Amino acid sequence: EFVEFCLNGRTSKSGTWTTTGVGKYLEGGKAAGGQLVDQRFCPRIVEGELRYNMVGDALIGIIHKKPKEGGISAVGGTGSIYTYYGPKEKKFASLTKSFVTTDLPKVMPALGLGDEPIPLWWTSDFINSSPPGTAAKDEKWIVGEFNCSCVGISKCLPAYCKDDTPNACYNDIPKKDLNEIKTISDLLGQKAVQILVKIAREKGKPAVVGDYFSGTPVDISALTKMSKDDLGLLPQPATPRFKTALIGLYVRAQPYGGSDKSSNGHRYDTIPFANGMIMAGMSCQLIHYVHQEHDKFFEVVKNFDALVVRCNPGQIKADGGDQGKFDDSMRAIRKAGIQVWPSPDVMEFMGAKDALCKIADMSIGLEDTLAYYDEAAFSAGFKKTMAFQPRVIKQNRGSSGEGIWIIKLKSGSYCSSFGEKSCADDEVLDMMEANDNHSEEHTVAEFVEFCL
């Protein structure tokens, strides 16, 4: 009779039924939604289900839904008891780890949805299928249902209308619940961006040899193009959140355009920088600064929201330009509200060697780190620091290790505390320069004289 009812509904063969249902569960076949699922009944359903609230692949909370005494359904409005837990609840740690870490990545492929992302906001209801008395770590929880059609955020329920609240709205949500709601909604946005970025990454074919992807959205046609192509650069987004440019410099008198260049004229790490911006929803056009068109260049870059400057120290001068003029124009751009990474002032004050002196008193610094700006201070200060510990002396200008000296007392005889003594002029120094690791020996007086 049951089989008959399931297949054909109320017939002479199905007996008498008091249900309000009509049966015929397979009517129309699979294509029409005809379906029956046959699953083992788990008696411990009377203890309640665990609802895992998910945002994408992130668990944000667990609800224990216990049916009303004598019932097996914990649907809201039936007298069931709901207990709320955080995502790191210890009593469910074994299930959480197994589900989120092991099984979740397999769910969409198992459903034939390997090309679809996990829903943004969904739930999974679990039933304990283990015999009573099973240790928590050994319990087997099985999925009773996935729900992703239109899952509600329960804390928002005060905002929906009922007969007694016909004017319910967002403002009726208690303020104490808004923080939790914001956490959920912020995470929804983050997961949505991750999904869209992943899709864009898969769809966006990077530039091949000869392709040029830097021409839009800002019109840069007035600038001289110094690169052969944009090999590896992703397509610019059609509607970028912000318009950015990555600024390089091609030194025309040097092989390859400078020691930091790829064969197409861009700096060797330009493409990853720009692609990171593009994958975050911003455009990032690759342009070069040519000092002969200085004024034109800075008129064009006013049309960007932000600039990423990737010109190696000394390159502007090596190409015949004026670093100070470039920096002053960048300061004007920054003053106009356009972000510059890094701005000239940041490079000057953060990149300068004396920045180390300004953090000397922090946990990340050393108290005997000094900066010298005149002859008397250097002569007295260096003799004092050199007597205490081996030194690294760094000039402010230059790069690639030139003018950076690692110095030790040849005698190896240092004082026990800073300031206890000063070196004599004739004490011998064992020195190595960082640019090529060559070694020299000089007296303290000779080194001071050389520096000055």
Side-chain angles (χ1 to χ4, degrees):
E1 288 176 340
F2 176 67
V3 171
E4 176 67 15
F5 180 78
C6 290
L7 297 178
N8 301 309
R10 288 179 171 83
T11 70
S12 59
K13 298 179 181 179
S14 64
T16 301
W17 291 79
T18 58
T19 177
T20 57
V22 297
K24 301 181 183 181
Y25 301 129
L26 301 183
E27 188 174 44
K30 184 177 181 180
Q35 175 179 279
L36 281 168
V37 172
D38 182 354
Q39 186 179 39
R40 185 195 318 167
F41 175 69
C42 301
R44 294 183 69 178
I45 184 68
V46 297
E47 300 173 13
E49 301 173 84
L50 294 180
R51 168 158 288 189
Y52 273 44
N53 288 324
M54 307 290 297
V55 175
D57 58 1
L59 172 64
I60 62 166
I62 303 169
I63 306 174
H64 179 230
K65 306 194 300 178
K66 189 177 187 305
K68 181 181 179 182
E69 192 67 33
I72 61 171
S73 174
V75 174
T78 62
S80 50
I81 301 172
Y82 284 24
T83 306
Y84 296 85
Y85 298 95
K88 297 182 180 179
E89 176 57 42
K90 291 182 179 180
K91 66 173 71 177
F92 308 127
S94 180
L95 168 61
T96 298
K97 181 179 180 181
S98 174
F99 174 56
V100 175
T101 305
T102 304
D103 289 332
L104 186 53
K106 304 173 186 176
V107 168
M108 299 304 281
L111 300 176
L113 298 169
D115 293 331
E116 288 285 340
I118 298 173
L120 274 181
W121 176 236
W122 61 291
T123 66
S124 182
D125 291 344
F126 292 92
I127 304 167
N128 193 339
S129 69
S130 301
T134 304
K137 65 182 180 63
D138 298 323
E139 287 179 335
K140 179 177 176 61
W141 290 81
I142 64 163
V143 174
E145 182 182 36
F146 294 125
N147 188 353
C148 63
S149 56
C150 196
V151 178
I153 299 177
S154 58
K155 296 289 186 180
C156 294
L157 288 175
Y160 86 94
C161 297
K162 304 187 295 295
D163 289 342
D164 57 338
T165 56
N167 298 313
C169 64
Y170 180 81
N171 290 338
D172 293 315
I173 300 172
K175 289 184 178 180
K176 63 182 178 62
D177 292 333
L178 287 176
N179 284 337
E180 182 178 339
I181 293 168
K182 185 177 185 301
T183 298
I184 295 171
S185 60
D186 287 352
L187 187 56
L188 279 168
Q190 294 167 19
K191 292 296 181 180
V193 167
Q194 290 174 11
I195 291 169
L196 293 175
V197 165
K198 182 175 183 292
I199 293 171
R201 183 181 290 119
E202 292 170 350
K203 286 185 176 179
K205 294 182 179 179
V208 297
V209 173
D211 282 347
Y212 179 61
F213 285 0
S214 292
T216 58
V218 173
D219 182 6
I220 59 171
S221 59
L223 304 180
T224 300
K225 182 171 174 285
M226 302 300 294
S227 59
K228 295 178 183 176
D229 55 39
D230 289 342
L231 177 64
L233 185 68
L234 293 171
Q236 305 291 345
T239 54
R241 298 171 65 183
F242 299 99
K243 299 172 184 177
T244 73
L246 190 149
I247 299 170
L249 192 133
Y250 189 90
V251 184
R252 286 162 283 186
Q254 293 182 359
Y256 313 114
S259 60
D260 60 348
K261 298 298 187 295
S262 291
S263 59
N264 64 354
H266 289 305
R267 186 179 152 91
Y268 64 91
D269 55 6
T270 287
I271 299 302
F273 262 87
N275 282 347
M277 306 289 275
I278 291 170
M279 293 311 299
M282 297 175 277
S283 61
C284 190
Q285 295 169 251
L286 311 182
I287 60 178
H288 285 86
Y289 172 72
V290 177
H291 70 87
Q292 289 92 340
E293 51 191 40
H294 176 92
D295 293 341
K296 187 190 304 180
F297 178 88
F298 279 95
E299 279 301 312
V300 169
V301 299
K302 287 179 182 178
N303 297 304
F304 290 100
D305 298 307
L307 305 174
V308 181
V309 181
R310 300 290 290 165
C311 304
N312 234 19
Q315 287 186 334
I316 290 177
K317 182 178 179 181
D319 193 50
D322 184 335
Q323 182 72 53
K325 184 178 180 181
F326 178 85
D327 288 348
D328 286 342
S329 294
M330 277 297 172
R331 287 187 178 96
I333 288 288
R334 186 71 190 91
K335 191 173 182 179
I338 298 172
Q339 184 63 54
V340 179
W341 291 304
S343 69
D345 289 339
V346 169
M347 283 192 285
E348 178 180 350
F349 294 108
M350 191 174 188
K353 301 301 187 290
D354 64 356
L356 305 179
C357 307
K358 296 171 183 177
I359 63 168
D361 294 333
M362 299 182 191
S363 62
I364 54 175
L366 291 171
E367 62 177 356
D368 57 319
T369 302
L370 307 179
Y372 310 114
Y373 304 97
D374 59 61
E375 297 181 11
F378 171 56
S379 180
F382 172 68
K383 291 175 182 178
K384 186 183 296 184
T385 60
M386 192 69 249
F388 174 52
Q389 289 286 320
R391 313 308 302 169
V392 177
I393 302 296
K394 310 174 185 182
Q395 69 154 326
N396 192 42
R397 296 180 291 270
S399 61
S400 302
E402 190 272 323
I404 298 178
W405 294 96
I406 300 164
I407 310 176
K408 301 177 182 178
L409 289 177
K410 187 173 182 180
S411 67
S413 178
Y414 299 98
C415 61
S416 58
S417 61
F418 177 54
E420 181 181 325
K421 59 173 277 192
S422 295
C423 284
D425 284 342
D426 60 356
E427 289 192 62
V428 179
L429 305 176
D430 186 356
M431 306 166 53
M432 183 175 73
E433 191 173 17
N435 65 335
D436 57 7
N437 295 326
H438 83 278
S439 296
E440 300 189 28
E441 281 189 8
H442 293 281
T443 65
V444 169
E446 288 172 342
F447 177 66
V448 171
E449 177 67 19
F450 178 77
C451 290
L452 297 178

